[in-house]
Amino acid sequence: MKGYQLLETCETERLQFVQRMAYDVSKCHVTHVCGSISSSVVLAIWMPPSPSSTSLPRLITQATLMMSLPHIQRGIREKKVSLVRFELSDYYGISHCKAIPARHFEEKVENGLPFYFGHLGFDPQAAIVPGTGYSEETSFGDAIFHSDLTTFRKVPWAKNTARVLTVPKCDGKLVAGYPRTILQRLLGELRGIGYSLLSCHEHEFFVFDAKTKKPVIDGRQIRSTIRLAKNEDFVLQIADQLPEMGVDVESIETEYAPGEYEITYKPAFGVAAADNAFTYKNGIKEIAQKHSLLATFMTKPFPDQVAASAHLNHSLWDVDCEKSLMHDAEEPHGLSKAARHWMAGILYHAPAITVLMSQTVNCLKRLEAHIFAPGNATWAIDNRTTALRVKLNGEKGVYIENRMGSAAGCPYISLAATVAAGMDGLKNQYELPPPVDGIAYDDLTELPPKTMPLPVDMESALEKLVNDEVIREAFGADFIKCFTALKMYEVKLEAEAKANGVDASEWAFGYYSEYM
């Protein structure tokens, strides 16, 4: 088993049953890993069920273990892959990679790939931010990044190129502050108390002409067919090629600001949901480049227009990912006790996780009244003004829309924040406050007692985060140190820009738009 660092995860996170489109290896698709940190990793693959079947894919384990890498290598030869990107996410969700000639792929899988540790402490312009714990404190050294082979894909928009996601280790141990590792640990804890999570991010983003920086569609006529038809080659390439990367595009529409789009995709269980979001965001940016466009997930490029959100749609399921645990016809609003405790946990910790859902100085400017962004820790059935919007779609279709999320930032962090808060509600059986009846940010609407406002500036948001013991401990000291250093660096840069007479929106566009 030397070097097969596919995915190290909690033992209770086995059997995720995530039906992910993956690299085609003899009509099987690599989708799932089970195992534990202390034992060998076990790879599972799924055979697609028959078209008439409604069951989840059947799993084949262990027997296929030693065949996984040879099958991928065979696919590399058959698909004429020349380069394999070994990719990692920084704290902003920006993809960094080393492209390795395919003939060296096996060696890098077995031994890992040295990669500058400080990438985790970069800002959006690759500035080395002091005090993150990953740069000067490590003497600007390397970590060893190991491949998660379940994420291997041929990149359809890149010539003869594939990619695989990586997990960093330092001195033989997982890097505790790496966002993807934090998420995997929390999902393992969630499985340990009897639940799995089905989720997807619902992203909005902006598209500009790469040279003029003008939005490619004007006005705000949301879902206008005429607006959608203006950039059909770009949109069609996204619709055709993202599914080849495992991101099953479901709907495409224009949104309520110049140049703004929303493209949604199907949910997945476990860490696969955040992997899909990471792939989606960086994929759309790459595809835009092919069309001389700039796609950006920065949250608010226009000071006088609506912003881009990333609502997190999610639901609790049993550990076998077969039964939704959200519905109970005998309970208030048809919501199960587990669903209510989960929601109560998110609302209780909402002030602390606001900055983990809306992760930049620019993101927090989205949280204002009357633009369908939440301003307080509230919930309701199908209400776009609350922090949590509950959708009731029958016994298996109940889900929660966490509306605190903004488009910019790292999806591993926002998903981990929701898990940490919701899981605390489950463990301690928090009581869900009454739903809001009306517009949650309207002064005339009566809110439940002790309803907490969400912080709207970075200093206040960080204070709420570091003073929340549950969320702070869930993410760990290494993460909190790096995250707060990066955020305060943003505050510093924005203040310097303003002092030099630069408009805050102009500074933000130059700082965030290209890589986020």
Side-chain angles (χ1 to χ4, degrees), residues 192-244:
I193 61 172
Y195 302 91
S196 62
L197 192 73
L198 180 68
S199 69
C200 64
H201 292 77
E202 182 184 327
H203 302 278
E204 297 165 344
F205 60 95
F206 296 91
V207 183
F208 298 87
D209 182 281
K211 290 184 178 180
T212 66
K213 300 300 188 290
K214 292 183 178 180
V216 296
I217 48 176
D218 297 323
R220 62 181 187 182
Q221 183 57 269
I222 184 171
R223 301 184 187 93
S224 161
T225 303
I226 293 173
R227 290 174 91 218
L228 184 61
K230 284 188 176 181
N231 298 281
E232 63 180 2
D233 288 344
F234 167 62
V235 170
L236 280 172
Q237 188 172 0
I238 292 172
D240 289 343
Q241 293 187 339
L242 277 181
E244 296 181 45

Side-chain angles (χ1 to χ4, degrees), residues 206 208 213 215 257-260 298-307 505:
F206 296 91
F208 298 87
K213 300 300 188 290
E260 190 176 17
M298 74 168 292
T299 295
K300 196 171 176 64
F302 308 110
D304 58 346
Q305 300 284 348
V306 299
S505 295

Side-chain angles (χ1 to χ4, degrees), residues 401-416:
E401 183 180 82
N402 182 343
R403 297 178 61 83
M404 290 183 279
S406 297
C410 178
Y412 299 104
I413 293 174
S414 57
L415 184 51

Side-chain angles (χ1 to χ4, degrees), residues 336-353:
S336 69
K337 290 181 179 179
R340 298 202 310 274
H341 293 325
W342 175 270
M343 292 167 59
I346 295 174
L347 295 180
Y348 182 81
H349 295 288
I353 68 171

Side-chain angles (χ1 to χ4, degrees), residues 474-487:
F475 277 81
D478 291 350
F479 173 88
I480 296 296
K481 177 179 181 178
C482 182
F483 188 80
T484 54
L486 291 169
K487 300 304 114 179

Side-chain angles (χ1 to χ4, degrees), residues 90-294:
D90 65 14
Y91 273 48
Y92 287 90
I94 297 170
S95 175
H96 301 268
C97 76
K98 285 188 177 182
I100 303 299
R103 65 182 178 276
H104 299 307
F105 177 71
E106 181 177 2
E107 172 197 344
K108 303 306 179 185
V109 168
E110 290 189 348
N111 299 322
L113 188 67
F115 219 117
Y116 174 48
F117 214 171
H119 280 293
L120 302 186
F122 276 177
D123 83 338
Q125 293 295 321
I128 299 175
V129 178
T132 64
Y134 296 118
S135 294
E136 72 276 10
E137 297 96 330
T138 67
S139 300
F140 305 102
D142 286 344
I144 305 299
F145 284 76
H146 296 278
S147 307
D148 176 353
L149 291 184
T150 69
T151 66
F152 186 90
R153 307 282 188 276
K154 188 175 187 296
V155 182
W157 53 81
K159 186 176 180 179
N160 299 337
T161 299
R163 80 95 206 264
V164 67
L165 301 185
T166 61
V167 179
K169 285 185 174 182
C170 189
D171 297 326
K173 299 179 181 179
L174 289 169
V175 174
Y178 189 55
R180 191 174 187 267
T181 297
I182 292 170
L183 174 58
Q184 288 176 278
R185 172 175 52 78
L186 291 173
L187 288 169
E189 292 179 19
L190 182 64
R191 296 188 68 83
I193 61 172
Y195 302 91
S196 62
L197 192 73
L198 180 68
S199 69
C200 64
H201 292 77
E202 182 184 327
H203 302 278
E204 297 165 344
F205 60 95
F206 296 91
V207 183
F208 298 87
D209 182 281
K211 290 184 178 180
T212 66
K213 300 300 188 290
K214 292 183 178 180
V216 296
I217 48 176
D218 297 323
R220 62 181 187 182
Q221 183 57 269
I222 184 171
R223 301 184 187 93
S224 161
T225 303
I226 293 173
R227 290 174 91 218
L228 184 61
K230 284 188 176 181
N231 298 281
E232 63 180 2
D233 288 344
F234 167 62
V235 170
L236 280 172
Q237 188 172 0
I238 292 172
D240 289 343
Q241 293 187 339
L242 277 181
E244 296 181 45
M245 294 291 288
V247 182
D248 187 3
V249 172
E250 186 173 27
S251 69
I252 302 167
E253 61 194 63
T254 61
E255 266 292 343
Y256 204 60
E260 190 176 17
Y261 289 82
E262 178 182 303
I263 298 179
T264 65
Y265 51 91
K266 290 287 190 178
F269 286 99
V271 73
D275 287 343
N276 285 346
F278 176 76
T279 300
Y280 167 100
K281 294 177 71 174
N282 288 285
I284 286 177
K285 291 185 71 68
E286 284 191 61
I287 291 171
Q289 287 184 153
K290 306 289 184 182
H291 296 268
S292 300
L293 302 173
L294 169 66

